[in-house]
Amino acid sequence: MPIVIDKDIPAYKILTGERIFVMDSERAFSQQIRPIEIAILNLMPTKETTETQFMRLLSNSPLQVNVTLVKTASYNSTHTEKQHLDRFYKTFEEIKNRKFDGMIITGAPVENMPFEQVAYWQELQSILDWTKNNVTSTLFICWGAQAALYHFYGIDKHPLKEKCFGIFAHQRIRDGESEPLMRGISDEFHMPHSRHTVIYARDINGVEGLKILAYSKRAGASVIKSTDNRQVFVTGHMEYDRDTLKNEYERDRAKGLNIKPPANYFVDGDMSRVKMNWSSTANLFYINWLNYYVYQVTPYDINKID
C-alpha cells in the first residue's frame, strides 16, 4: 500500500521518480480503507529534505499511511519558504483536537542549548504532553529524543568534547532479542549520527518505564523505548540519505568550522564515494514500528485512542 501525500509537495515527485508507491489524497479518499494517520513534527531547518526522508521510510510498509506535517507556531523557520510551510504544514493548534496512530518528532540543530532556552520549548512541552493521550506510539529522533527523555524522565544530555559525526556500529541488547521493534535487525548494525551531545546508558539504566534496545560505544544509548511501547527514542538518524552527512560536512567547512570528515563514511577517504550501510536497517526498523507498535495496537476507531 502507498503513502498518501499532496501531489504538489516536492516529496511526491522525488519518491515517484524512485519508483516508490505514493498516492495523492484525492485518489486515496475514494478508497474504502482505514488508513494509518501519522503526524510528523518537523523541527529541522531543511524541512523539504527531512520530510522526504521520513516519507520514504513510511512508504515501505504494506499499510496505507496518511501523513500530516506539523510546524511550530512559536518559531518561524528561516530556511524554508513561507509558501511551502503555509501550504503543506499545520500548527499544533490546528491538529490538537485530532487523534493520530503514530507521530514522529524530528531532531533539531539546538543540542548545545539548554532545553529551556530553545525558542519553542514551551510549545514543544505542550505537544509532548498531548502525545500521551492522543497518539498510539510516538517516535522521537536525535534532539527530539533528548528533549522527550528530559521532559518525561528528567534525563539530561551531556556535551561531547568532539562532535559525534559519522556512521557508527551499534550492538543490539541481547535481552531484547524478542523485542518486535528490533525483529530481523542484526546483532550489530550501523546508524548515522550528527550531534554535539550524548545520552549515557548509565542515566537510563534503572529508570522505571524505560528499556535500552541498542547501544554504541561511540554514540551512547541509541535505541530506547518505554515499556508500554508508547514512546520510542532514537538518538541517531536512520532516515538520512546517502549524501546527508557529506552535505553537512561541506556546509560546516564553508562556514570555517573546525570539523573532521564524518567517521566510517567515505570509502578510503574518497569524498565522491559513500559507504551507505544503514538503509536496510532503517527500512526494517520503520516497518517494525508501523506494524507492531502502531497498526496492530491502535483502535480501528481512531477517536478511541487514549
Side-chain angles (χ1 to χ4, degrees):
M1 296 297 291
I3 185 173
V4 180
I5 55 178
D6 192 305
K7 65 181 178 181
D8 292 325
I9 198 168
Y12 186 94
K13 183 177 181 181
I14 294 172
L15 297 178
T16 301
E18 295 176 7
R19 299 295 189 268
I20 292 175
F21 189 12
V22 292
M23 182 183 294
D24 66 83
S25 55
E26 182 178 348
R27 179 183 174 192
F29 290 154
S30 68
Q31 298 184 326
Q32 299 300 314
I33 294 174
R34 154 72 161 93
I36 296 296
E37 298 289 343
I38 301 292
I40 301 176
L41 175 61
N42 191 352
L43 303 175
M44 291 292 282
T46 52
K47 294 201 183 320
E48 293 184 28
T49 298
T50 300
E51 68 201 26
T52 302
Q53 290 172 345
F54 283 108
M55 289 175 179
R56 181 181 292 113
L57 290 171
L58 293 173
S59 68
N60 281 329
S61 85
L63 306 172
Q64 180 170 305
V65 178
N66 283 350
V67 173
T68 299
L69 296 171
V70 185
K71 62 180 180 178
T72 56
S74 51
Y75 177 79
N76 295 318
S77 174
T78 58
H79 294 81
T80 304
E81 291 186 4
K82 185 177 183 298
Q83 182 180 3
H84 180 88
L85 294 172
D86 290 345
R87 179 168 185 182
F88 299 115
Y89 280 74
K90 298 183 181 299
T91 64
F92 176 56
E93 282 295 315
E94 293 177 290
I95 62 109
K96 69 179 184 180
N97 293 322
R98 293 178 57 185
K99 303 280 188 177
F100 289 89
D101 302 297
M103 187 172 191
I104 297 172
I105 297 182
T106 75
V110 293
E111 73 266 22
N112 282 328
M113 299 174 61
F115 293 110
E116 292 81 3
Q117 292 183 13
V118 174
Y120 47 81
W121 178 244
Q122 289 188 346
E123 182 181 7
L124 180 59
Q125 286 182 300
S126 297
I127 296 172
L128 293 174
D129 288 336
W130 170 86
T131 63
K132 294 176 67 176
N133 295 318
N134 295 279
V135 181
T136 296
S137 183
T138 305
L139 181 57
F140 304 96
I141 307 299
C142 197
W143 182 84
Q146 294 181 343
L149 287 168
Y150 179 74
H151 176 73
F152 289 121
Y153 301 95
I155 298 171
D156 209 346
K157 53 187 170 62
H158 300 274
L160 292 166
K161 293 181 179 179
E162 184 178 85
K163 184 178 182 180
C164 180
F165 188 48
I167 312 300
F168 300 104
H170 298 71
Q171 305 299 320
R172 192 176 67 171
I173 303 300
R174 291 296 301 273
D175 63 2
E177 287 184 342
S178 61
E179 172 59 50
L181 187 64
M182 306 299 289
R183 187 162 295 167
I185 294 176
S186 300
D187 287 348
E188 181 176 283
F189 62 93
H190 297 84
M191 189 194 317
H193 289 265
S194 178
R195 50 185 163 79
H196 294 86
T197 54
V198 66
I199 296 291
Y200 290 135
R202 65 171 182 258
D203 293 336
I204 297 173
N205 289 328
V207 174
E208 185 176 358
L210 288 180
K211 181 178 182 181
I212 298 176
L213 301 181
Y215 172 83
S216 167
K217 290 183 179 179
R218 178 64 179 87
S222 53
V223 181
I224 308 122
K225 79 174 186 72
S226 62
T227 52
D228 64 1
N229 299 333
R230 298 289 297 273
Q231 299 170 326
V232 178
F233 311 89
V234 179
T235 62
H237 289 280
M238 293 186 189
E239 78 280 0
Y240 269 8
D241 294 327
R242 177 184 296 274
D243 292 331
T244 303
L245 291 182
K246 177 182 177 181
N247 294 337
E248 290 185 11
Y249 174 62
E250 293 176 343
R251 176 203 64 196
D252 288 350
R253 287 190 65 192
K255 292 180 179 179
L257 299 178
N258 183 21
I259 184 172
K260 296 180 180 178
N264 311 311
Y265 180 64
F266 295 121
V267 178
D268 297 328
D270 184 351
M271 289 184 55
S272 66
R273 299 168 61 202
V274 170
K275 179 172 61 177
M276 190 174 186
N277 57 359
W278 66 90
S279 58
S280 58
T281 296
N283 282 299
L284 186 52
F285 183 88
Y286 276 80
I287 289 173
N288 287 344
W289 176 67
L290 279 174
N291 182 27
Y292 296 113
Y293 282 43
V294 180
Y295 173 69
Q296 301 223 19
V297 294
T298 199
Y300 183 82
D301 182 353
I302 197 170
N303 292 312
K304 292 183 178 180
I305 292 175
D306 190 2

